[in-house]
C-alpha cells in the first residue's frame, strides 16, 4: 500500500508581500525506504520568519530555495518505519523535513526527543527548539545582561521574544517588550511578567518607549528593524549591546527602511552582533539545560498558534509575517 | 613680567558646517603658578575630527564644550616653570591643554615624553599618540584581522587610517584604503604600501570598491559613515568585523545620511563595535610598544600637515573636516 505524501512547494519568488499563489501544494507517493533510512510522519511543522528570506534569490545567511523545492522548516514527528538501528517505530523525533506530511532521513540531523506531559512534542519547535535556543544564545552570549539593566525585546510576544524577556527577568533585569496591539502587550506583561510593553501600533512609539525606559536601554534584542530599531537607537545607554536576530519588518519590504541614526552606535560605543543560532551550537547544551528546567517546571510560559492541516500552511505563514499569530506559529500535520 | 597667552574659544555652536566666525581668539595673561603646578609652553596642537562633536549641544560620547570655553585638544609642549617636583624646566610633555599657547597643570594627566631624532615631539600627537592608539585598539582588539583577510579602512591617508592600513599589512592582510582624491590614493598605495585604494571622489565608488575587494571585506575600520559605509556593507563577508571609530562625513550634516542596508549586518552575522580610545587604556602599553618600535625603526610611515600659529587653527580645523589635510593635522604654536 503506497503512502500518500503532501508537499508545499515554492511556486514563485514573491516581490514584496507573500501570496498564497506563491506556493504550490502537490501530492506525491512516499517511496520505499532503503537500508539505513527512517520514514517519519510529521506531527507539527514550525513556521518561522527566516523562511521568508529563503524565498528570495540572492545573498542571505542561508541558501535560497529553488522554485519547486519543498519549503524548508523544522518538524517534529514519529517514526513509522525504520531500517536504521538507531531509530525504532514510535520514536518521537525532531527533524528538518520542511512543509510536508512525511519525510525520509538516513538519521543524520534527526534527533530523538523525550515527549512528556510537561513537555509536549510541539515544545521542541518552540521554547525548547530553535526559537528558545535563539533567545538564549542572543540574550545570554551576545547581550550579556546584568541585574538592574534595562533589556528591550521587539516581537516580544513571539516565540523568540517571549523567551528572551523571561530569561532576562530571571536575571534581575528590567524588561520592556515591544509588540503590535493591546492584546499582545497585555499578554507580555500579565502572563509573561515583563515590566512594561510598548504597543508600536498605538501611534506614539517614541513617547511610549521613552516612558517605558526611564533609565535608557542597555540590551536590545532585535527581531524587527525599521522604525522600532530607530526608536531604540535613540534610547541606548553607553556600552549597550544589540544581538541582531531578525528584521521581520523588512522581509517583505521592496524598499528597505533606511536607518537614520546609525551614529548612535558610535556615540554610545555599542556592541552589535548579527547571529544565526545554528552557528552557535557549542552553546546548545548549556542553553538546553536551562530552558528544559524552566519548561518542565512550568516557569517558562509560552503560547502557540496552531493551524490545522498542511493545506493551511501558506495562509498561516503569511499571517505570521503580518503578526496575526500569538506566540509560536505551528501547523498541525497529523 | 607677565606672559601673554592666546586662546581660541568656542563663540557659536555651528549648525552644519563650521565657520571661522564660530571661534573667538582672545589674549589673556598667564597667571602665576601655585605650589604643585607646572607651566607648559605648547609646541604643537593636535586637530582631530572628534572636536566637531564637542561644538554641538547634546549627547555625544564626550561632554559638549560650553560657549566661551577654550577649545579642547591634545598638545605637546615644554615645561617653562615648575613648582611640581615631578617636572623640571625643559621637560617635554604630552598634555591636553587645548587651543592655547600656554597651559597650567597640577601634573595630573601630564605625561613626560622622550623626544629623539627618530621620534620628534609631534609624533606623540600622531602615530604614537591618540590617532595611533585608536588605530591599534580598533584594528587589533575589535577588528581581529587574520592573515589573508581583506581589511578596508576609510579616511585611509589620515592620521588614524594610515596606521590602520600599515598594521594590517604587517599582519599579512590584503589592505584597501578609501580616500578622497588621486593624490591621497597614490600616497596610500605607493608610500604606505596598501594593496589598493579607492578614490571616492572619482564618481564610481561602488564599482571601484567591488573591483578592489574581489574576495569581499572581512574587516572594515570605519571613520567616515554615509555612502561609503553603505558601499562597504554591500561587500561584507560572513562574520566580518567593524570597528566603528568615526563618522566624519556626518559631523557637519544637518540631516544625517540614513543607512539603507543595515540588514547586511544580520545577513553576514557581523560584529560591529563603536569605541573611543580612552576607554581602552588597558591596551595602551601593548599598543605603544608596537607603535614605538615601528616608528623608531622607520617602518611606520606617516605624514603631517602643519598650520603655522594659533591664529590659523580655525581655518586648519575647517580644512581638515573637508579633507584638505594630508595625514595628521597639527598647529605649530611655538
Amino acid at each position: 500500500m503506497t503512502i500518500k505524501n503532501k508537499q508545499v512547494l515554492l511556486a514563485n519568488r514573491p516581490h514584496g508581500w507573500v501570496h498564497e499563489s506563491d506556493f504550490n501544494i502537490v501530492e506525491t507517493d512516499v517511496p520505499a525506504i532503503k537500508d539505513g533510512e527512517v520514514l517519519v510522519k510529521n506531527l507539527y511543522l514550525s513556521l518561522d520568519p527566516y523562511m521568508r528570506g529563503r524565498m528570495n534569490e540572492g545573498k542571505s545567511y542561508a541558501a535560497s530555495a529553488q522554485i519547486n523545492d519543498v519549503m524548508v522548516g523544522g518538524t517534529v514527528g514519529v517514526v513509522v518505519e525504520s531500517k536504521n538501528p538507531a531509530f525504532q517505530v514510535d520514536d518521537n523525533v525532531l527533524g528538518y523535513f520542511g512543509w510536508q506530511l512525511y519525510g525520509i532521513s538516513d538519521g543524520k540531523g534527526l534527533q530523538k526527543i523525550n515527549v512528556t506531559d510537561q513537555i509536549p512534542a510541539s515544545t521542541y519547535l518552540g521554547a525548547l527548539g530553535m526559537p528558545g535556543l535563539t533567545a538564549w544564545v542572543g540574550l545570554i552570549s551576545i547581550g550579556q545582561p546584568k541585574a538592574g539593566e534595562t533589556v528591550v525585546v521587539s516581537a516580544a510576544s513571539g516565540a523568540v521574544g517571549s523567551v528572551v524577556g523571561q530569561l532576562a527577568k530571571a536575571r534581575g533585569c528590567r524588561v520592556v517588550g515591544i509588540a503590535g496591539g493591546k492584546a499582545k502587550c497585555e499578554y507580555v506583561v500579565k502572563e509573561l511578567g515583563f515590566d512594561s510593553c510598548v504597543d508600536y501600533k498605538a501611534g506614539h512609539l517614541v513617547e511610549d518607549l521613552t516612558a517605558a525606559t526611564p533609565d535608557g536601554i542597555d540590551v536590545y534584542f532585535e527581531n524587527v528593524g525599521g522604525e522600532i530599531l530607530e526608536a531604540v537607537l535613540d534610547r541606548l545607554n553607553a556600552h549597550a549591546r544589540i544581538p541582531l536576530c531578525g528584521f521581520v519588518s523588512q522581509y517583505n519590504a521592496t524598499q528597505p527602511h533606511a536607518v537614520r541614526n546609525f551614529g548612535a552606535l558610535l556615540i554610545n560605543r555599542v556592541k552589535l552582533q548579527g547571529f544565526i543560532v545554528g552557528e552557535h551550537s557549542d552553546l546548545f547544551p548549556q542553553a538546553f539545560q536551562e530552558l528544559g528546567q524552566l519548561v518542565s517546571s512550568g516557569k517558562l510560559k509560552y503560547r502557540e498558534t496552531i493551524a490545522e492541516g498542511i493545506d493551511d500552511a501558506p495562509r498561516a505563514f503569511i499571517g505570521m509575517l503580518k503578526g496575526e499569530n500569538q506566540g509560536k506559529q505551528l501547523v498541525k500535520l497529523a
Side-chain angles (χ1 to χ4, degrees), chain A residues 237-306:
Chain A
N237 289 331
H239 306 118
R241 289 82 67 198
I242 302 182
L244 188 60
C245 173
F247 242 46
V248 69
S249 77
Q250 303 298 297
Y251 292 165
N252 295 289
T254 48
Q255 283 285 357
H257 182 96
V259 177
R260 71 172 157 73
N261 50 356
F262 196 100
L265 301 175
L266 171 61
I267 290 171
N268 299 299
R269 292 89 78 205
V270 173
K271 273 190 197 175
L272 175 149
Q273 186 176 345
F275 74 103
I276 51 174
V277 69
E279 294 180 344
H280 298 266
S281 54
D282 56 312
L283 299 172
F284 288 2
Q286 198 185 345
F288 196 79
Q289 188 178 22
E290 179 174 355
L291 293 166
Q293 281 172 354
L294 289 171
V295 167
S296 56
S297 66
K299 283 184 191 156
L300 189 80
K301 292 174 182 162
Y302 58 91
R303 208 154 53 159
E304 297 172 339
T305 298
I306 301 179

Side-chain angles (χ1 to χ4, degrees), chain A residues 123-256:
Chain A
T123 314
Y124 289 91
L125 296 174
L128 279 186
M130 190 270 288
L133 294 170
T134 298
W136 198 99
V137 166
L139 180 71
I140 306 306
S141 167
I142 300 173
Q144 302 191 0
K146 293 167 202 67
E149 288 191 326
T150 296
V151 174
V152 172
V153 56
S154 51
S157 74
V160 176
S162 59
V163 178
V164 168
Q166 292 178 85
L167 289 173
K169 275 307 291 179
R171 279 161 178 76
C173 299
R174 174 176 170 81
V175 177
V176 177
I178 303 176
K182 205 173 164 186
K184 287 185 180 176
C185 272
E186 278 189 11
Y187 168 70
V188 156
V189 173
K190 292 187 184 163
E191 295 295 320
L192 303 184
F194 287 30
D195 295 286
S196 181
C197 185
V198 172
D199 173 9
Y200 71 85
K201 289 183 174 170
H204 18 76
L205 169 64
V206 171
E207 295 81 354
D208 292 350
L209 184 65
T210 303
T213 58
D215 300 325
I217 297 171
D218 301 294
V219 178
Y220 175 49
F221 193 105
E222 168 63 304
N223 285 312
V224 301
E227 290 175 7
I228 292 174
L229 170 61
E230 288 183 330
V232 168
L233 290 179
D234 280 340
R235 296 291 303 156
L236 292 180
N237 289 331
H239 306 118
R241 289 82 67 198
I242 302 182
L244 188 60
C245 173
F247 242 46
V248 69
S249 77
Q250 303 298 297
Y251 292 165
N252 295 289
T254 48
Q255 283 285 357

Side-chain angles (χ1 to χ4, degrees), chain A residues 1-22:
Chain A
M1 193 189 78
T2 311
I3 302 176
K4 288 285 177 193
N5 195 7
K6 210 174 210 185
Q7 304 177 313
V8 182
L9 313 181
L10 177 64
N12 305 296
R13 297 198 188 284
H15 181 71
W17 274 101
V18 184
H19 298 93
E20 292 190 44
S21 57
D22 295 325

